[in-house]
Each structure stands twice: as C-alpha cells, then as structure tokens.
Amino acid sequence: MARKHLLSDLAGPKSHAGSAEDVSAQESITPQYAPRGAIGAVSRSIELLKSQSLIELDPDRIDAPAVTDRLDEDGEQFEEFARNIRENGQQVPILVRPHPTIEGRYQIAYGRRRLRAVKAAGLQIKAAVRTLTDDELVLAQGQENSARQDLSFIERALYAAELEANGFQRSVIMGALAVDKSNLSRLIQAATQLPADVIRGIGAAPKTGRDRWGELATRLGSDGAVDKAREVLSDGAVKALPSDERFARVFEAAAPKKVKKNKVQAEVWQAEDGVKAARFRQDKRTLTLMIDNKAAPEFGDYLMSVLPEIYASFKKTKQ
C-alpha cells in the first residue's frame, strides 16, 4: 500500500497529471522520429519528470542499484558540494524507482552525490519516483551524466565492465554511455585488465586518460607490481591525496626497475720487472687500457708514440 500511495501522490490529481493509462496514452502519441525502445522510454520518462510533483524521502530508505556509475570522489570536492547543499538546500531532485524486491524501499537511478550530501546534512531528500526496468535505470544514469559532469575514463570503463558482468546487453550499455561497439570493447578491456580494488583505491582520476591507464595495466602485469600498488594505496597519506595524484603514486611504484649491468672489473697488467704499469678492461665491443702514470712514468707517452708501428705490424699479420 505504501508504494501505491506514493505513486499516486507523485502523479498528482488526475485532472492535472492523469492516470497511468493517460500517461501511456500521452506517450503513444510521441512523434514518429522520437527514440524508440528502452532508450526512448527513458527519454520520455525524464521529460515527464519536469512536469511531475516531487516528494521528500528519508535518505535511509534509498539503496544503491546493483551497478553504480561513479566512484567516490575526493573528500575536499565532496565537502564543498555538501556545504553548498547545507547552505542553499537541494536544488535538483534525484530520480529513484520503487525497490524491485523490498517493499517500502527505493533504488536510486541518479543523484548519488546529492543523496550523500543531503543525508550528511540530516535532511529529507527531494526525489521523483518512476517505475523503471533495470535497462531503463541504466539508461537514465547515462542520460543524466551526459547532461551534467561527464564520467572520467576509468569510471566509464569500470561501469561498462560491471554492467556486462551483471548481465546487461551491450546495446543497453552502448546507449547508457553513448559509445559505439568498438569504443565499448576498449572500455571493457581497459577495466578488466586492472584489479577492481586498485581502480577504486585510485578513484575517478578525471585528468587521467585511456593511454595512461593502459600503461598502468601493462606495468601491473609485472611480478609483484599489483602488491606494490596495493601497498601504496593503503598508506594514509596517499589516501588523502586527490585521485589523480594517487594514480601518479601507483604509476611510479609500478614502474619496472632498471636492471644495472654489471661492469667488468679491470684487471692489472704487471711487467716482468714487477711494475704494475696498467689496468685493462675488455668486453665484446671495447678494450679499455689505463696506464698508471705514477707506477710507470712516461710509459703512456711512449706507448702512444709507438702505437702506429704496433698497428702497422698488426696489419701485416693479417695479410
């Protein structure tokens, strides 16, 4: 009964908003060029919200859907947003649907940040209630994000991968994110190549694009790199950083270590009279000869003066 009463209040007097049948009739006369299917239904639902009355709900009665589209944002950014809500009130309503399995509860379609801020302020949340299928809820999230601040690359990638893992068709995911098949495949691949806990530990990283995330996935493929990333993200000081800086810390920690080449040790050349006149080091490409001017004064100058003769003699042996 609670759900029926709530939907009746949302629709308003029949003389103004009409019954559910009236709404369906209004939707049936949508022009031929309007979007069809689930995407078209969501478009019409969002348009209808503009003319519907709103209700106030206890934030504790609203649950997250199975798949959420945004990662938790940095504390400083959220605090600024929450302060604005406390001082000026909630200006934009959220969209919820009656919970599909729990009577008297709701699931949020979009407005999670507003819900969090209003709840923190101890206020009731202004909401519009629509009966949405799972596909329509996902599409509503996508349309809201297109109209407002867009998701970062990794949020889009993680959202796409989680939607597919939860059984949503790719056509629905493409509609929600406004991407084609090839771009959707790239998004899903990017997310599945990275550990989900590392992504969530880093956060949205709005300034970090696909190429950098792809390079991080490559780096994390090295032995022990994922453990290093998790160790970095567990540091309290790193957790307090903005998400793009957290990405930079993990990116640096996962960098492959340069292998130092072991230098060939120089050997000592000792003359028959016991003087250690030189040291030499030889590899596949070079022979390095170092004359000890202290042990054998003027020997270096003499060697350089006879070097042409030595080389000429060498060439004769090769003839």
Side-chain angles (χ1 to χ4, degrees):
M1 290 301 293
R3 179 187 297 181
K4 291 180 180 179
H5 177 71
L6 177 60
L7 293 176
S8 176
D9 289 345
L10 177 61
K14 290 185 179 181
S15 60
H16 291 86
S19 64
E21 291 78 12
D22 293 332
V23 172
S24 297
Q26 292 171 15
E27 293 179 355
S28 68
I29 62 174
T30 302
Q32 296 278 334
Y33 53 81
R36 295 182 177 277
I39 297 177
V42 171
S43 298
R44 295 191 294 275
S45 295
I46 293 175
E47 288 299 317
L48 284 170
L49 290 179
K50 297 177 181 179
S51 62
Q52 288 183 332
S53 60
L54 305 175
I55 62 170
E56 292 190 347
L57 293 173
D58 181 348
D60 288 330
R61 294 173 63 192
I62 302 174
D63 300 320
V67 182
T68 55
D69 55 342
R70 288 195 181 277
L71 297 171
D72 290 337
E73 63 185 323
D74 295 330
E76 185 176 342
Q77 290 179 328
F78 175 75
E79 286 303 321
E80 182 179 351
F81 178 77
R83 183 167 55 253
N84 183 60
I85 291 285
R86 288 194 300 269
E87 293 175 356
N88 302 304
Q90 179 192 352
Q91 303 299 317
V92 181
I94 67 171
L95 174 63
V96 300
R97 70 171 179 176
H99 199 291
T101 59
I102 306 175
E103 185 71 25
R105 296 194 66 80
Y106 303 89
Q107 276 187 335
I108 188 168
Y110 57 69
R112 286 198 307 127
R113 190 168 70 138
R114 274 164 276 166
L115 175 63
R116 181 183 167 198
V118 169
K119 184 175 181 179
L123 304 173
Q124 296 283 293
I125 187 83
K126 296 175 185 177
V129 180
R130 291 288 295 173
T131 301
L132 301 171
T133 65
D134 290 345
D135 286 356
E136 288 170 345
L137 184 144
V138 167
L139 291 164
Q141 287 178 333
Q143 287 199 357
E144 168 73 358
N145 287 325
S146 295
R148 297 182 177 280
Q149 182 181 1
D150 200 7
L151 300 176
S152 69
F153 169 78
I154 199 59
E155 284 181 307
R156 290 163 63 83
L158 187 61
Y159 185 45
E162 292 190 350
L163 285 174
E164 184 170 65
N166 278 267
F168 287 91
Q169 297 295 316
R170 287 207 169 190
S171 59
V172 173
I173 307 173
M174 288 162 55
L177 293 173
V179 295
D180 58 22
K181 289 182 179 179
S182 59
N183 282 325
L184 178 59
S185 295
R186 282 192 282 268
L187 285 171
I188 292 174
Q189 182 182 25
T192 53
Q193 287 179 334
L194 291 156
D197 64 312
V198 172
I199 295 176
R200 295 188 180 280
I202 292 172
K207 298 178 182 178
T208 305
R210 183 182 71 186
D211 291 344
R212 293 275 284 176
W213 280 103
E215 174 60 25
L216 178 60
T218 300
R219 293 185 175 193
L220 292 180
S222 303
D223 291 341
V226 172
D227 290 336
K228 289 180 182 177
R230 288 171 175 153
E231 182 179 353
V232 168
L233 292 170
S234 67
D235 188 307
V238 174
K239 289 180 179 180
L241 295 173
S243 60
D244 280 297
E245 292 187 30
R246 292 199 296 271
F247 177 92
R249 293 294 185 90
V250 172
F251 193 79
E252 181 181 357
K257 302 300 182 184
K258 294 182 179 180
V259 179
K260 293 183 178 179
K261 295 182 179 180
N262 293 325
K263 292 184 178 181
V264 178
Q265 295 294 323
E267 297 183 35
V268 175
W269 180 81
Q270 184 172 331
E272 291 182 355
D273 60 2
V275 175
K276 297 177 180 179
R279 290 181 298 123
F280 67 94
R281 182 168 55 237
Q282 185 174 11
D283 56 32
K284 292 180 179 179
R285 296 184 61 185
T286 60
L287 169 64
T288 304
L289 181 64
M290 293 159 282
I291 305 299
D292 189 338
N293 288 327
K294 185 176 181 180
E298 301 180 354
F299 176 57
D301 293 336
Y302 172 77
L303 183 61
M304 292 302 297
S305 68
V306 299
L307 191 59
E309 296 178 21
I310 295 174
Y311 184 76
S313 176
F314 164 75
K315 291 291 289 184
K316 288 180 180 179
T317 64
K318 297 297 180 182
Q319 293 177 353

